Amino acid sequence: MRIPFIAGNWKMNTTATEAEKLVIEMLDNLDRIKGVEKVLCPPFVSLVAINMMLQDSFIKLGAQNMYFEIEGAYTGEISPLMLSELCEFVILGHSERRWYFGETDEIVNKKVKAALANTLQPILCVGERLEENEAGRTEEVIDRQVTAALNSIEPVSNLVIAYEPVWAIGTGKAASGEQATATIQFIRDVLTKLWDKSIAQDLRILYGGSVTSANIAEFISHPEIDGALVGGASLKAGEFVNIVEQAAEIKGRTRTK
Ligand code: PGA
């Protein structure tokens, strides 16, 4: 059974002081919600403090990026080994990394390998751009990104994939539940081809892109969609808690049917 999963990607927002305040605002209410794996991904500079704040909670911690080498002369980079003391998850291949910082499929593949080798669970992001979507090339792009990211990696169960169409990120224009479901089903087909059917059915696949408390139900009510990677809406405590509550409620209901 795939446990529903909601992660908040705070991106380059919050100072260390603001991040601690945001955690205090949501901690108790978030922690109370059962049946959903809850993950916060604050900026690197807040990981140590938030790791301590979450010690006695069921809320998990993730980083937003990392380099693929373990240590060495790579000024300014953060390694998987450093993260492995602090977090369980790491977002990799986010479209903002791909498009603003030139991360190629090959780099994403190296990062996925390095994360897995250091007990970090990747949240691997894939998604097509608007022009690719409009040209009917969504499946081609997704196939390439998933296949390249997992190149020469043995089947693993500690991997989460997030389908994030680039045109839906931060735009307020979310995909529809049907669109997201179709692409997520396609990702399972790609995983079946790469690995096998049982692992493709076991891995959690999320939707991301302008998810809010007003539209989470549309995604989470589809059995194929296991949760969400939430950007902007995860920076408001009440909004994020509401999203996780709805996910718990709807997935709990559909499961006991
Ligand atoms: P958004 O970002 O929810 O602000 O669209 C999602 C993401 O980039 O993960």
Side-chain angles (χ1 to χ4, degrees), residues 9 11 94 96 164 168-170 209-211 229-232:
N9 173 11
K11 308 193 179 183
H94 190 281
E96 286 150 17
E164 300 208 304
I169 295 178
S210 297
V211 170
L229 182 54
V230 185

Side-chain angles (χ1 to χ4, degrees), residues 4 34-36 217-218 220-221 245-257:
K34 301 276 177 306
V36 175
E218 168 165 5
I220 213 80
S221 51
E245 266 165 358
Q246 290 189 54
E249 208 266 314
I250 294 170
K251 285 293 188 202
R253 202 180 337 127
T254 44
R255 204 181 278 153
T256 49
K257 258 196 211 152

Side-chain angles (χ1 to χ4, degrees), residues 7-11 91 94-96 125 162 164-166 168-173 207-212 228-235:
N9 173 11
W10 295 4
K11 308 193 179 183
I91 298 173
H94 190 281
S95 65
E96 286 150 17
C125 302
E164 300 208 304
V166 181
I169 295 178
T171 59
K173 287 194 212 123
Y207 167 76
S210 297
V211 170
T212 65
L229 182 54
V230 185
S234 70
L235 290 165

